Amino acid sequence: MSSLNFGRAVQAALAPAAITGIIGSTPARADIKNYEFQLVQPTVKAGADGIVTVRLVDKTTGKAVPDAVIFATRLDMAPDGMQEMATKVTPMPGTEPGTYRFKANFSMAGRWQLTLGAKVQGETGTVENKLVVEAEK
Ligand SMILES: [Cu+2]
């Protein structure tokens, strides 16, 4: 084996570890890691009918991704040390393709963590994101 080939073999062996180790990396091929949820607005009005809007984005194209199946949601105040302070999340119809809206009772001002799991059409695996939204009085 020439030294060049040996170098390639080592690179190939290390590649998967390198990809999982770098947060936000964008491998060239289609990959579920290329998708992420982003908050449309970082704040929400505290109260019973707070609406959080998120956009699912394909980071390789910057485009919003419609028709994802949201299968897991949790909203709690973990960012302010109140993990046990969780509230029900109700999905609402989106206002435009690629955006997803949720209604919840933001009973306390402060930082709330929205955990989302989703399946994207045509991709294996799941998108999992935690977003922090600030409830303001
Ligand atoms: Cu709280």
Side-chain angles (χ1 to χ4, degrees), residues 44-52 75 85-92 102-109 112 135-137:
V44 63
K45 198 167 156 42
D49 292 320
I51 301 277
V52 180
L75 186 64
M85 194 170 173
T87 191
K88 190 167 157 261
V89 182
T90 306
M92 306 280 287
F102 306 94
K103 187 168 80 171
N105 179 9
F106 290 86
S107 54
M108 183 176 172
W112 294 76
E136 296 179 327
K137 280 180 195 150

